[in-house]
Amino acid sequence: MTKHPSGTSQAPLPPANRAGCEALDRIDPLSSLRMRFSLPEDVIYLDGNSLGALPEKTAAAMQKTVLHDWGRDLIGSWNSADWVNLPRTTGAALARLVGASPDEVLVADSTSVNIFKLLAGVLALPHIAGDKNRRVIVSERGNFPTDLYIAEGLNAVLGNRFILRLVEPGSVVSAIDATTAAVLVTQVDYCTGQLHDMAAINRAAKQAATHVVWDLSHSTGALPLKLNEDGAEFAVGCGYKYLNGGPGAPGYLYVAKDWQIRLSTPLSGWFGHQAPFQFAPSFVPAENISRFQCGTPSVLSMVALRCGIDTFDGVDMADVRAKSLALTDLFWHLMDQHCAAFGFFCVAPRERTKRASQLSFSHEHAYPIMQAMIARGVVGDFRQPNLIRFGFTPLYTRFVDCWDAVMVIRDVMTSADWRAEKYQRRNLVT
Amino acid sequence: MTKHPSGTSQAPLPPANRAGCEALDRIDPLSSLRMRFSLPEDVIYLDGNSLGALPEKTAAAMQKTVLHDWGRDLIGSWNSADWVNLPRTTGAALARLVGASPDEVLVADSTSVNIFKLLAGVLALPHIAGDKNRRVIVSERGNFPTDLYIAEGLNAVLGNRFILRLVEPGSVVSAIDATTAAVLVTQVDYCTGQLHDMAAINRAAKQAATHVVWDLSHSTGALPLKLNEDGAEFAVGCGYKYLNGGPGAPGYLYVAKDWQIRLSTPLSGWFGHQAPFQFAPSFVPAENISRFQCGTPSVLSMVALRCGIDTFDGVDMADVRAKSLALTDLFWHLMDQHCAAFGFFCVAPRERTKRASQLSFSHEHAYPIMQAMIARGVVGDFRQPNLIRFGFTPLYTRFVDCWDAVMVIRDVMTSADWRAEKYQRRNLVT
């Protein structure tokens, strides 16, 4: 390790060499958090926005749950290990990260299923369903596809009473008016990393007496969220990205306290009942966030997700945001400096307040370039139609990783080994 | 171990003592399967119909998935470990147990969510939705509550266009007519263990040009199922009971080949898309069972479920059925013989063809009696309002377990220790 140049408490930005990046890591207040993860030595992992890395304590927690709680205590663990409350206790642990009260967050099902629940709930509210002029669901052209697909599917069930209107990112606020039945927006664009102004959109919705369902999949754990303060009423999010909950981890949902007993759920499964174990013949929804549960909670997945959430213990999200911006600043700068000749174009917003914790670069050969990078141990991902995408996860991404990754990109481009036949084939998931 | 009385290939039934039960275990062709499970030594577990026991290989499989596939190979495992196909490959592994083709079964979401998908799909079929006379969803008064709750919730979304008509178990066939929009039946009653004649109900539905959504939660892995042969079109089932998939394991769904491209799903999430990773703006459903996926598959839970399904490797379901009936015969007989004085009444059907793999006994003090039994290591469960319920899982329940359990019941009743204050409190889950 190169020693940090003495005399400066502030490292020079941007660093001109690898040693400068190492110096940034040494003064990074979050640097010790990397030890909370089990990361392969030979990989630079810039894909934590697709699948978060494995927390150090997950394997032991899973073994304890499998061998002791399930294997030894069997059915009794629904009480003794408090499995029955995992959706709420895991949600409560997550609440701080999103700026909500512990009783406003529930872990359940998948993000897609949770969107269905909340959007259906909003569209069934008397002042929405009863207003013939409110027939427009406002969303974004660039929204993550599953959000749009779920809105389509729900609308079909509702007899296509609504029109799904897709607008440009900058036009969401102006698209909200008295015809708006609901707004469905992902706060951070999965391709560009562009960040919406949550408070502004919530204000516009409130003025128009309508409601927003937020998808926080690319926000949660990546930046500070203040759902209560910013006037958010309904939100869903993903457990397997920045929350490090494991592949296909359960999603979560947020319903502001005031709305919990007013919003109905179409997926009225037994765990959403006020008293599931009374086995009553008719559904009576719980009078709290629990009503948005449906089937039996997925215990093993929730235990893993809890370990992921716990990687944020004691971490100030303001520090996460500061490091995230420093990482994206650095990476972008290094790309400009070392890879300008290769035709990459960064599609993220220059303006820091509009940028989340990822960067995507367009390139006509994006797919094989990313494959060649992965072969050299730098893992990002490819996104249609021509993007290489990198996620920066402040809990374990180092400044030196940015340097090393950009050097690999330069190498891949200089050597042109991305032209190799083996990198042209499209995998199903990348 | 007592030696088996020589000279007889058929053990005497019913045995008069514990040694006779041990003799039955020795000639049981399934006896060696118990080694596929990790069971606590000091427990007689008769609750595998609520939460199946831990398979021997699950812990190692989970560690491999967590440490190697997730921890080491990270995002690449969606391809290299074939995570992306787990819903289909796990479903295919299960197909044999339910008498379906490998491409007719999908593991996804929870049982409750899957009921919603298939029931919504049936109600949206043109000849159902378009027929104003078809306004009745036929189900059973004693159906598992979540089935009824989901039907209620779906009906509410559909503007309460339908009437949920609940009939007695024996009246399902006669309730099906030209007004029937759909039939929603659980093949095995979770309280009484009564078994419906699947072929007969399917025939009645076909004659009336309507459709049945079967809930196989208490059937799958408990008895031979012949979905194709019996004319079943749609079914869902549970992964955490007889399939031993772990607490809150994903559910599964079955859609007969002919129906896969005709049935729409309201929960049109991205994994149900024909090409999820094209990120197309509009939903185009996969032209196979995959369309009934919704969000990202829950990998950790599916790996555990696969280990549970694999406990049936090489097992003939006819042997499972034979042993299941022998176990319930024995237990019932022993209860009659040793506990007749205590006021238990068995609510299961005497007739073997109508009985699944569980027995429930009513008793006015059912709750504290079950608590006292659990304290003595015999684990069954309590069901409202007054039932003690026992599940018999032929892969690991022994004949001698029946003997020992009945002796404990006798003891609990003779000593009257169920009257202790500590057993009166109601736990949330029992």
Side-chain angles (χ1 to χ4, degrees), chain A residues 13 27 49 94 134:
Chain A
L13 239 175
I27 60 168
N49 55 333
L94 173 51
R134 294 200 184 268

Side-chain angles (χ1 to χ4, degrees), chain B residues 208-392:
Chain B
T210 187
H211 307 277
V212 187
V213 176
W214 286 99
D215 181 342
L216 307 174
S217 291
H218 289 269
S219 322
T220 317
L223 43 95
L225 287 165
K226 301 173 288 177
L227 294 182
N228 286 345
E229 200 179 316
D230 285 345
E233 296 169 327
F234 312 110
V236 303
C238 172
Y240 56 77
K241 298 179 184 292
Y242 296 91
L243 291 179
N244 312 306
Y252 78 86
L253 56 83
Y254 156 89
V255 177
K257 191 73 187 165
D258 282 354
W259 286 102
Q260 291 176 7
I261 60 166
R262 288 193 273 167
L263 204 75
S264 63
T265 171
L267 287 164
S268 46
W270 72 313
F271 262 77
H273 195 281
Q274 205 172 64
F277 296 94
Q278 290 298 319
F279 300 93
S282 282
F283 186 71
V284 181
E287 296 206 322
N288 52 46
I289 191 86
S290 283
R291 75 164 56 179
F292 301 102
Q293 294 189 62
C294 184
T296 307
S298 177
V299 170
L300 302 182
S301 299
M302 289 196 189
V303 168
L305 175 54
R306 178 57 189 266
C307 294
I309 293 167
D310 288 351
T311 60
F312 287 87
D313 274 359
V315 177
D316 186 335
M317 289 306 292
D319 290 339
V320 169
R321 179 65 172 158
K323 182 175 175 185
S324 161
L325 289 171
L327 287 165
T328 50
D329 279 345
L330 173 63
F331 194 94
W332 198 338
H333 169 80
L334 293 174
M335 283 293 286
D336 282 348
Q337 199 166 45
H338 300 281
C339 296
F342 307 120
F344 292 105
F345 177 76
C346 187
V347 301
R350 272 280 172 206
E351 207 177 322
R352 286 173 127 223
T353 56
K354 292 192 176 163
R355 193 197 313 157
S357 205
Q358 61 170 76
L359 292 177
S360 294
F361 297 84
S362 66
H363 194 287
E364 60 172 323
H365 301 298
Y367 184 84
I369 289 169
M370 181 51 76
Q371 299 312 303
M373 290 176 63
I374 291 170
R376 292 181 187 217
V378 176
V379 179
D381 49 24
F382 165 78
R383 279 296 172 262
Q384 294 283 353
N386 65 346
L387 296 176
I388 54 175
R389 189 181 73 164
F390 303 98
F392 301 87

Side-chain angles (χ1 to χ4, degrees), chain A residues 178-256:
Chain A
T179 69
T180 307
V183 183
L184 178 62
V185 190
T186 299
Q187 192 195 16
V188 173
D189 186 287
Y190 78 105
C191 279
T192 64
Q194 187 168 336
L195 178 63
H196 278 296
D197 182 338
M198 180 180 280
I201 293 177
N202 285 337
R203 270 195 307 273
K206 191 160 193 176
Q207 266 167 19
T210 187
H211 306 278
V212 188
V213 176
W214 287 98
D215 181 342
L216 306 174
S217 291
H218 288 270
S219 323
T220 318
L223 43 96
L225 288 165
K226 299 173 290 178
L227 294 182
N228 285 346
E229 200 179 315
D230 286 344
E233 295 168 328
F234 311 110
V236 303
C238 173
Y240 55 78
K241 297 178 184 293
Y242 296 91
L243 291 181
N244 312 304
Y252 77 85
L253 56 81
Y254 156 88
V255 177

Side-chain angles (χ1 to χ4, degrees), chain A residues 84-425:
Chain A
V84 73
N85 290 313
L86 277 175
R88 284 190 295 180
T89 55
T90 315
L94 173 51
R96 178 184 72 91
L97 300 185
V98 297
S101 299
D103 58 356
E104 292 180 318
V105 183
L106 182 84
V107 169
D109 299 304
S110 66
T111 310
S112 300
V113 169
N114 289 333
I115 293 170
F116 189 92
K117 292 176 191 169
L118 297 191
L119 189 59
V122 167
L123 297 178
L125 287 169
H127 68 280
I128 300 294
D131 183 345
K132 282 184 183 159
N133 295 319
R134 294 200 184 268
R135 286 295 173 261
V136 180
I137 300 170
V138 173
S139 191
E140 259 191 276
R141 207 173 301 284
N143 202 347
F144 189 73
T146 212
D147 299 59
L148 303 180
Y149 300 166
I150 289 289
E152 265 186 66
L154 173 60
N155 195 22
V157 174
L158 299 173
N160 290 308
R161 272 169 30 217
F162 298 94
I163 296 156
L164 186 57
R165 184 173 165 215
L166 305 183
V167 302
E168 295 304 321
S171 307
V172 173
V173 165
S174 59
I176 299 171
D177 59 24
T179 69
T180 307
V183 183
L184 178 62
V185 190
T186 299
Q187 192 195 16
V188 173
D189 186 287
Y190 78 105
C191 279
T192 64
Q194 187 168 336
L195 178 63
H196 278 296
D197 182 338
M198 180 180 280
I201 293 177
N202 285 337
R203 270 195 307 273
K206 191 160 193 176
Q207 266 167 19
T210 187
H211 306 278
V212 188
V213 176
W214 287 98
D215 181 342
L216 306 174
S217 291
H218 288 270
S219 323
T220 318
L223 43 96
L225 288 165
K226 299 173 290 178
L227 294 182
N228 285 346
E229 200 179 315
D230 286 344
E233 295 168 328
F234 311 110
V236 303
C238 173
Y240 55 78
K241 297 178 184 293
Y242 296 91
L243 291 181
N244 312 304
Y252 77 85
L253 56 81
Y254 156 88
V255 177
K257 191 72 187 166
D258 281 354
W259 286 102
Q260 291 176 6
I261 60 166
R262 287 193 274 168
L263 205 75
S264 63
T265 171
L267 287 163
S268 46
W270 71 313
F271 261 77
H273 196 281
Q274 203 173 64
F277 295 92
Q278 289 299 317
F279 299 94
S282 283
F283 186 71
V284 181
E287 296 207 322
N288 52 46
I289 192 84
S290 283
R291 74 165 57 181
F292 301 101
Q293 294 189 62
C294 183
T296 308
S298 178
V299 170
L300 302 183
S301 299
M302 288 195 189
V303 168
L305 175 53
R306 178 56 188 265
C307 294
I309 294 168
D310 287 352
T311 60
F312 286 88
D313 275 358
V315 177
D316 185 335
M317 289 306 291
D319 290 340
V320 169
R321 178 65 173 158
K323 183 174 176 187
S324 161
L325 289 171
L327 287 165
T328 51
D329 279 345
L330 173 63
F331 194 93
W332 197 338
H333 169 79
L334 293 174
M335 282 294 285
D336 282 348
Q337 200 165 48
H338 299 281
C339 296
F342 306 119
F344 292 105
F345 177 75
C346 187
V347 301
R350 271 282 172 206
E351 207 177 322
R352 287 173 127 221
T353 55
K354 293 190 175 164
R355 193 197 313 158
S357 203
Q358 61 171 76
L359 293 177
S360 294
F361 297 83
S362 66
H363 194 287
E364 60 173 322
H365 302 298
Y367 184 83
I369 289 169
M370 182 49 76
Q371 299 312 303
M373 290 176 61
I374 291 170
R376 293 182 188 217
V378 176
V379 180
D381 50 21
F382 165 78
R383 279 294 173 263
Q384 294 284 355
N386 65 346
L387 297 176
I388 54 174
R389 190 182 72 165
F390 303 98
F392 301 87
T393 44
L395 268 50
Y396 53 87
T397 304
R398 296 167 299 198
F399 291 95
V400 77
D401 293 331
C402 296
W403 177 273
D404 291 343
V406 172
M407 293 307 114
V408 165
I409 300 174
R410 189 178 63 174
D411 235 45
V412 161
M413 299 312 295
T414 312
S415 67
D417 75 347
W418 58 268
R419 292 183 187 276
E421 181 55 33
K422 62 183 169 184
Y423 300 136
Q424 315 303 314
R425 180 181 57 84

